Amino acid sequence: MISYESVTKIYGKGNNTVTALDNVSFTIPKGEVVVFLGPSGCGKTTTLRLTNRLETLTRGVITIEDQNIMDIDVVQLRQRLGYVIQAIGLFPNKTIAENIAVVPRLLHWDEERISKRIDELLQMTNLDPDLYRDRYPAELSGGQQQRVGVARGLAADPNILLMDEPFGAIDPINREEIQDEFLKLQAKLKKTVAFVSHDIHEAIKMGDRIAIFDKGRLVQYDTPEIILTQPKNKFVSDFVGADRALKVLGLMRVSDIINRKPKNIIQGADRCQEALHFLNTKESRYGIVIEDNRPIGFVTQKSLKYEDGPVRDVVEPYPIFLREKTPLRDVLSSMLMYSTPTFCVVDGDKNFAGTVTYNDIQKAVKASYADETENVEIEVSS
């Protein structure tokens, strides 16, 4: 969908030149989010600005939807590409509706179509049209303004969206909420997105692929999993951080490691001594208690030992229940917070779906690094 071939950008003339981009080549597949990542001055924003011709290529070719951008009228090019920036850039003298309508009006959409699109986008970004369409940017919080910025970028329904650190100026709580909302939108809309960021956590969360730049060169272009588990060189390894294993947990979900048929299920109506015998036969110190297909807590052999009533009377409740989309990073945090090595997973109706244990998480992290270990062993032996 977007292709960069030997893209080079040099500023200045003669002996006073600076190479901002040096022979960069990669392709952003249709429907994927690719995050341009790296330290300040590495060339990531320059790459984005070259894409909509806010900067002019020195050498190389950029194509969008199989067309060379230099063969497209610059105004038409920018109208085809959604653009969202950190500073948001809303017109302060225009209402929210008027801000969103800027590009559709340039494209001569009729007013009824524009009005429907405004309401649709406000609803998609969790802003009630009745409350927000006639307000001005100054009447909105920073997070709300950024939502409007995203809505404006999507207004003309572009196939391609360019985003330059779009959530960088928002406080962490609102930033995570807006990131989540954008990912929900992207799952439905499947836009092709070039996304500039300096934050490795954001890149891992948002990107289908990550392009890591350093000093104007493309150092590594891979999926987040590969970059975390198989960094190409010391620069990438240092940039993603020493806590790479923890970052991998941000990519993995409960659904990746759930045990759907644990061996230590006990019914709440079972007698304590029966349950104790059952756990002994299963060589398990711990039992998950279920009633009406819903987990109500857990028991241990110790808690059952001197009891003879129904298990439900001695059950210890779980502090939280997990969902299959919960990141393993959050699961591990909860395990450490509550000193609980096992959690139950429930579905949308709160029915029991399985379990996740600390050992499951440990095995998953080790497995994700298996390829990296094998590669190191091959290099050493050769």
Side-chain angles (χ1 to χ4, degrees), residues 60-127:
V61 176
I62 300 176
T63 60
I64 64 165
E65 298 171 315
D66 297 324
Q67 284 186 284
N68 189 325
I69 62 168
M70 301 307 294
D71 295 335
I72 306 172
D73 176 79
V74 67
V75 175
Q76 293 180 352
L77 172 67
R78 292 171 187 167
Q79 289 174 348
R80 284 173 59 178
L81 305 176
Y83 193 40
V84 183
I85 60 176
Q86 179 177 348
I88 306 172
L90 300 180
F91 298 109
N93 61 328
K94 293 181 180 291
T95 66
I96 300 309
E98 290 169 339
N99 268 280
I100 295 172
V102 168
V103 174
R105 286 206 169 105
L106 289 173
L107 296 174
H108 305 296
W109 288 18
D110 64 69
E111 288 301 315
E112 182 179 356
R113 183 184 178 191
I114 290 172
S115 182
K116 288 181 179 178
R117 184 62 174 163
I118 291 167
D119 288 350
E120 178 186 15
L121 287 167
L122 287 174
Q123 289 169 349
M124 287 171 63
T125 51
N126 279 342
L127 295 171

Side-chain angles (χ1 to χ4, degrees), residues 346-358:
V346 297
D347 62 18
D349 296 320
K350 299 183 179 180
N351 292 317
F352 179 76
T355 61
V356 170
T357 69
Y358 177 83

Side-chain angles (χ1 to χ4, degrees), residues 86-226:
Q86 179 177 348
I88 306 172
L90 300 180
F91 298 109
N93 61 328
K94 293 181 180 291
T95 66
I96 300 309
E98 290 169 339
N99 268 280
I100 295 172
V102 168
V103 174
R105 286 206 169 105
L106 289 173
L107 296 174
H108 305 296
W109 288 18
D110 64 69
E111 288 301 315
E112 182 179 356
R113 183 184 178 191
I114 290 172
S115 182
K116 288 181 179 178
R117 184 62 174 163
I118 291 167
D119 288 350
E120 178 186 15
L121 287 167
L122 287 174
Q123 289 169 349
M124 287 171 63
T125 51
N126 279 342
L127 295 171
D128 186 340
D130 293 334
L131 292 176
Y132 291 101
R133 63 160 29 242
D134 295 324
R135 292 189 183 182
Y136 288 86
E139 299 176 80
L140 274 59
S141 68
Q144 290 169 339
Q145 288 183 38
Q146 192 62 67
R147 286 184 176 90
V148 176
V150 172
R152 186 175 62 180
L154 294 168
D157 199 19
N159 292 325
I160 296 172
L161 193 61
L162 309 182
M163 306 183 79
D164 191 357
E165 299 200 43
F167 314 131
I170 304 172
D171 65 89
I173 294 175
N174 277 314
R175 180 163 63 246
E176 186 162 350
E177 182 181 332
I178 294 173
Q179 288 170 346
D180 291 341
E181 288 177 5
F182 180 79
L183 289 173
K184 289 178 184 177
L185 279 177
Q186 174 62 7
K188 180 168 66 172
L189 301 177
K190 294 294 184 184
K191 301 297 182 182
T192 302
V193 183
F195 187 118
V196 170
S197 178
H198 66 274
D199 183 343
I200 180 63
H201 294 283
E202 181 172 66
I204 292 167
K205 179 175 182 177
M206 305 298 290
D208 296 299
R209 301 171 196 261
I210 300 175
I212 297 185
F213 292 82
D214 182 37
K215 298 176 182 177
R217 297 192 175 208
L218 181 63
V219 181
Q220 186 167 358
Y221 182 50
D222 270 311
T223 64
E225 293 90 343
I226 296 298

Side-chain angles (χ1 to χ4, degrees), residues 2-13 18-26 43 45-64 67-72 74 77-78 213 216:
I2 310 177
S3 178
Y4 301 87
E5 299 176 23
S6 303
V7 170
T8 299
K9 176 61 180 178
I10 300 173
Y11 292 100
K13 295 182 179 180
V18 175
T19 301
L21 277 180
D22 186 4
N23 200 37
V24 169
S25 298
F26 67 104
T45 296
T46 300
T47 304
L48 196 77
R49 290 171 62 85
L50 287 169
T51 308
N52 63 358
R53 290 174 59 182
L54 289 175
E55 300 282 356
T56 303
L57 275 168
T58 302
R59 291 191 300 274
V61 176
I62 300 176
T63 60
I64 64 165
Q67 284 186 284
N68 189 325
I69 62 168
M70 301 307 294
D71 295 335
I72 306 172
V74 67
L77 172 67
R78 292 171 187 167
F213 292 82

